[in-house]
PDB file of all heavy atoms in Angstrom:
ATOM      1  N   ARG B 164      56.317 136.996  29.906  1.00 81.00           N
ATOM      2  CA  ARG B 164      56.123 135.832  29.045  1.00 81.00           C
ATOM      3  C   ARG B 164      54.876 135.059  29.460  1.00 81.00           C
ATOM      4  O   ARG B 164      54.530 135.017  30.643  1.00 81.00           O
ATOM      5  CB  ARG B 164      57.353 134.936  29.162  1.00 81.00           C
ATOM      6  CG  ARG B 164      57.509 133.959  28.019  1.00 81.00           C
ATOM      7  CD  ARG B 164      58.642 133.006  28.251  1.00 81.00           C
ATOM      8  NE  ARG B 164      59.942 133.622  28.078  1.00 81.00           N
ATOM      9  CZ  ARG B 164      61.096 132.996  28.351  1.00 81.00           C
ATOM     10  NH1 ARG B 164      61.075 131.763  28.812  1.00 81.00           N
ATOM     11  NH2 ARG B 164      62.236 133.609  28.167  1.00 81.00           N
ATOM     12  N   GLY B 165      54.271 134.453  28.484  1.00 78.00           N
ATOM     13  CA  GLY B 165      53.075 133.648  28.795  1.00 78.00           C
ATOM     14  C   GLY B 165      52.416 133.179  27.529  1.00 78.00           C
ATOM     15  O   GLY B 165      52.924 133.444  26.432  1.00 78.00           O
ATOM     16  N   ASP B 166      51.329 132.517  27.664  1.00 73.00           N
ATOM     17  CA  ASP B 166      50.596 132.033  26.501  1.00 73.00           C
ATOM     18  C   ASP B 166      49.643 133.134  26.043  1.00 73.00           C
ATOM     19  O   ASP B 166      48.647 133.421  26.702  1.00 73.00           O
ATOM     20  CB  ASP B 166      49.808 130.776  26.893  1.00 73.00           C
ATOM     21  CG  ASP B 166      49.041 130.204  25.709  1.00 73.00           C
ATOM     22  OD1 ASP B 166      49.074 130.830  24.624  1.00 73.00           O
ATOM     23  OD2 ASP B 166      48.414 129.153  25.864  1.00 73.00           O
ATOM     24  N   SER B 167      49.986 133.731  24.916  1.00 66.00           N
ATOM     25  CA  SER B 167      49.201 134.898  24.490  1.00 66.00           C
ATOM     26  C   SER B 167      47.784 134.520  24.063  1.00 66.00           C
ATOM     27  O   SER B 167      46.971 135.384  23.792  1.00 66.00           O
ATOM     28  CB  SER B 167      49.913 135.647  23.363  1.00 66.00           C
ATOM     29  OG  SER B 167      50.128 134.770  22.301  1.00 66.00           O
ATOM     30  N   SER B 168      47.504 133.229  23.999  1.00 65.00           N
ATOM     31  CA  SER B 168      46.120 132.851  23.675  1.00 65.00           C
ATOM     32  C   SER B 168      45.266 132.746  24.938  1.00 65.00           C
ATOM     33  O   SER B 168      44.077 132.462  24.862  1.00 65.00           O
ATOM     34  CB  SER B 168      46.099 131.510  22.937  1.00 65.00           C
ATOM     35  OG  SER B 168      46.548 130.482  23.794  1.00 65.00           O
ATOM     36  N   SER B 169      45.930 132.950  26.103  1.00 71.00           N
ATOM     37  CA  SER B 169      45.197 132.778  27.359  1.00 71.00           C
ATOM     38  C   SER B 169      44.588 134.090  27.825  1.00 71.00           C
ATOM     39  O   SER B 169      45.221 135.152  27.766  1.00 71.00           O
ATOM     40  CB  SER B 169      46.160 132.212  28.400  1.00 71.00           C
ATOM     41  OG  SER B 169      45.944 132.793  29.648  1.00 71.00           O
ATOM     42  N   VAL B 170      43.366 134.001  28.284  1.00 70.00           N
ATOM     43  CA  VAL B 170      42.677 135.175  28.800  1.00 70.00           C
ATOM     44  C   VAL B 170      43.441 135.728  30.004  1.00 70.00           C
ATOM     45  O   VAL B 170      43.683 136.932  30.119  1.00 70.00           O
ATOM     46  CB  VAL B 170      41.236 134.814  29.232  1.00 70.00           C
ATOM     47  CG1 VAL B 170      40.540 136.011  29.856  1.00 70.00           C
ATOM     48  CG2 VAL B 170      40.455 134.281  28.078  1.00 70.00           C
ATOM     49  N   SER B 171      43.851 134.822  30.908  1.00 76.00           N
ATOM     50  CA  SER B 171      44.531 135.253  32.137  1.00 76.00           C
ATOM     51  C   SER B 171      45.843 135.954  31.817  1.00 76.00           C
ATOM     52  O   SER B 171      46.205 136.941  32.450  1.00 76.00           O
ATOM     53  CB  SER B 171      44.816 134.045  33.029  1.00 76.00           C
ATOM     54  OG  SER B 171      43.614 133.436  33.362  1.00 76.00           O
ATOM     55  N   PHE B 172      46.558 135.430  30.827  1.00 77.00           N
ATOM     56  CA  PHE B 172      47.800 136.086  30.447  1.00 77.00           C
ATOM     57  C   PHE B 172      47.522 137.485  29.898  1.00 77.00           C
ATOM     58  O   PHE B 172      48.227 138.441  30.216  1.00 77.00           O
ATOM     59  CB  PHE B 172      48.558 135.272  29.394  1.00 77.00           C
ATOM     60  CG  PHE B 172      49.771 135.998  28.841  1.00 77.00           C
ATOM     61  CD1 PHE B 172      50.868 136.256  29.640  1.00 77.00           C
ATOM     62  CD2 PHE B 172      49.774 136.462  27.538  1.00 77.00           C
ATOM     63  CE1 PHE B 172      51.968 136.951  29.142  1.00 77.00           C
ATOM     64  CE2 PHE B 172      50.861 137.160  27.027  1.00 77.00           C
ATOM     65  CZ  PHE B 172      51.962 137.401  27.837  1.00 77.00           C
ATOM     66  N   GLY B 173      46.488 137.568  29.099  1.00 73.00           N
ATOM     67  CA  GLY B 173      46.135 138.876  28.534  1.00 73.00           C
ATOM     68  C   GLY B 173      45.882 139.899  29.621  1.00 73.00           C
ATOM     69  O   GLY B 173      46.423 141.015  29.588  1.00 73.00           O
ATOM     70  N   VAL B 174      45.094 139.498  30.601  1.00 75.00           N
ATOM     71  CA  VAL B 174      44.762 140.426  31.678  1.00 75.00           C
ATOM     72  C   VAL B 174      46.020 140.730  32.504  1.00 75.00           C
ATOM     73  O   VAL B 174      46.350 141.885  32.789  1.00 75.00           O
ATOM     74  CB  VAL B 174      43.632 139.837  32.554  1.00 75.00           C
ATOM     75  CG1 VAL B 174      43.339 140.743  33.736  1.00 75.00           C
ATOM     76  CG2 VAL B 174      42.374 139.627  31.729  1.00 75.00           C
ATOM     77  N   SER B 175      46.757 139.665  32.882  1.00 80.00           N
ATOM     78  CA  SER B 175      47.960 139.842  33.709  1.00 80.00           C
ATOM     79  C   SER B 175      48.973 140.731  33.006  1.00 80.00           C
ATOM     80  O   SER B 175      49.574 141.630  33.611  1.00 80.00           O
ATOM     81  CB  SER B 175      48.620 138.485  33.992  1.00 80.00           C
ATOM     82  OG  SER B 175      47.703 137.612  34.563  1.00 80.00           O
TER      83      SER B 175
END
Side-chain angles (χ1 to χ4, degrees):
Chain B
R164 199 186 286 174
D166 181 356
S167 57
S168 66
S169 141
V170 176
S171 300
F172 173 67
V174 176
S175 305

